[in-house]
Amino acid sequence: MQAELEQEYVEFVTARLARMQRIAYLLCGDAHRADDLVQQTFTTLYVQWRRVRAVEYPDAYVRTMLVRAFLSEKRLAWSSRVDLTDSVPERITPEGPGVEDRAVLRDALSRVPKRQRAVLVLRFLCDLPVDEVAELLGCSPGTVKSQTSHGLAALRRLLGAETLAAWDPRGVKGGRVVAPV
């Protein structure tokens, strides 16, 4: 029975690893921190796997675990960690159109408060509806809407409205901004 549970867990994690890494990266803007968040989430998931596998929507449950781990990471001393290298490692950026634009957006997104950043990532980059984001964050739909408004206003201040709208050739559609990251 234990072997079956572990196999089920491995299959679940393998199928969702890339998606969770992308969400974590979009939330924190750093590949190493994103890997740590995903690892922390999947470790917690392993401990709770018997209960989680019975949940109706395990993907939403795990995404909630990831976002909550991100929102509480400051309390876990991320801000006090020290990098023990004598030089900053060179970052390799993928080639292709819009690399600079994505870097500018990620930088601006990293300067938005964490809760607003989480709402923006979940709403616009993960394309989740307001009600699902509210449930995931444990708040009301009105809070999600206000956090979205404040987050977009912060991005507009940081980037300028024209720059923000330029990430989608169609512009802003129905109040939603589509931006490549």
Side-chain angles (χ1 to χ4, degrees), residues 27 29-30 33 40 48 55 69 73 81-82 90 130 176:
L27 289 169
D30 178 87
R33 284 178 56 202
Q40 175 187 349
Q48 300 175 2
V55 170
E73 77 178 351
R81 287 210 174 159
V82 177
E90 187 175 320
V130 170
R176 305 221 25 205

Side-chain angles (χ1 to χ4, degrees), residues 29-180:
D30 178 87
H32 299 291
R33 284 178 56 202
D35 287 343
D36 288 346
L37 275 172
V38 171
Q39 181 177 351
Q40 175 187 349
T41 301
F42 284 151
T43 300
T44 304
L45 176 64
Y46 180 78
V47 173
Q48 300 175 2
W49 181 245
R50 281 186 189 267
R51 186 177 61 220
V52 173
R53 67 192 279 267
V55 170
E56 187 174 355
Y57 300 107
D59 289 333
Y61 189 92
V62 174
R63 191 172 42 241
T64 300
M65 290 172 63
L66 178 71
V67 171
R68 289 186 179 163
F70 164 73
L71 291 173
S72 67
E73 77 178 351
K74 189 165 191 150
R75 287 182 271 150
L76 300 175
W78 261 111
S79 60
S80 65
R81 287 210 174 159
V82 177
D83 188 6
L84 299 177
T85 62
D86 60 345
S87 63
V88 178
E90 187 175 320
R91 288 191 101 153
I92 300 173
T93 53
E95 303 252 346
V99 172
E100 296 84 14
D101 289 340
R102 287 192 302 270
V104 168
L105 179 60
R106 275 194 301 270
D107 178 58
L109 200 54
S110 74
R111 297 186 330 201
V112 172
K114 287 177 110 175
R115 193 140 178 107
Q116 292 173 12
R117 185 181 337 152
V119 168
L120 292 174
V121 166
L122 294 170
R123 288 280 294 127
F124 300 119
L125 302 174
C126 295
D127 201 29
L128 297 179
V130 170
D131 292 335
E132 192 171 334
V133 173
E135 184 179 327
L136 195 146
L137 295 176
C139 63
S140 70
T143 300
V144 170
K145 291 175 185 178
S146 69
Q147 292 291 302
T148 301
S149 176
H150 293 302
L152 287 174
L155 283 178
R156 284 185 191 101
R157 278 192 307 277
L158 292 166
L159 299 170
E162 298 81 25
T163 304
L164 190 58
W167 274 308
D168 180 13
R170 298 160 300 177
V172 178
K173 296 287 187 188
R176 305 221 25 205
V177 177
V178 180

